[in-house]
Amino acid sequence: MTLFATLLIDRFVVSRQARTADGQGGWSQVWEDVSEVSGRLRPLTANERTVAQQEQARVTHVLYTLMDAGIERGDLVTGAGTVVEVIAVREPSHMGHHFEIDCRETQLAAEDVAS
C-alpha cells in the first residue's frame, strides 16, 4: 500500500442519476448507488475559493481518491458527513496515481434519494 493510499481514511458512496420507467410511457430520474470508494475530502481554503470564483466555478471541496474510483462529473458523493456534487475530475500528476475531484457541497430533497 502506498503512503498516499493510507491517507484515504473515509468511505464514500458514489451515486449517479438513472432513468426509471413510470409504467405510463414516461420516466423519472433517481439517484442510484454505483460504487463505494476510499477517499479524503477537504474543504477549500478561502484563497482557493476566491480563485475558483474568478474562474466562475462554484467549488467548495476537493476529494482525493485512487485512479480506480470510477467517479464522473455530475455524480453525487456521500460520506464524511457531507454530500457533494462532482464538478470536475482531475489527474494532477498525469502519472496514473490519483484523482483530485472538485466538488460542490449540496443537499438532496428526500424525494431525490433512491430507496
Side-chain angles (χ1 to χ4, degrees):
M1 179 181 292
T2 66
L3 177 61
F4 179 79
T6 64
L7 299 174
L8 307 178
I9 58 173
D10 293 312
R11 298 294 294 164
F12 295 90
V13 175
V14 179
S15 303
R16 195 166 288 147
Q17 277 197 339
R19 291 183 176 186
T20 304
D22 65 6
Q24 299 177 1
W27 51 270
S28 61
Q29 287 188 305
V30 295
W31 291 99
E32 291 184 351
D33 296 348
V34 293
S35 66
E36 190 173 308
V37 298
S38 294
R40 182 174 211 125
L41 186 67
R42 79 166 174 86
L44 263 58
T45 64
N47 287 338
E48 289 172 318
R49 284 184 187 219
T50 300
V51 170
Q53 288 173 351
Q54 289 172 345
E55 296 175 3
Q56 298 183 2
R58 289 183 48 219
V59 178
T60 61
H61 291 75
V62 175
L63 174 65
Y64 299 91
T65 66
L66 294 176
M67 291 289 292
D68 62 355
I71 296 177
E72 301 175 1
R73 185 172 190 238
D75 287 350
L76 283 184
V77 179
T78 306
T82 308
V83 178
V84 294
E85 177 186 359
V86 175
I87 304 301
V89 179
R90 297 179 284 120
E91 182 187 350
S93 62
H94 298 289
M95 300 288 289
H97 186 259
H98 72 281
F99 284 138
E100 289 182 6
I101 303 167
D102 294 334
C103 303
R104 176 177 46 235
E105 189 169 5
T106 187
Q107 289 183 333
L108 287 180
E111 61 270 9
D112 291 336
V113 181
S115 47

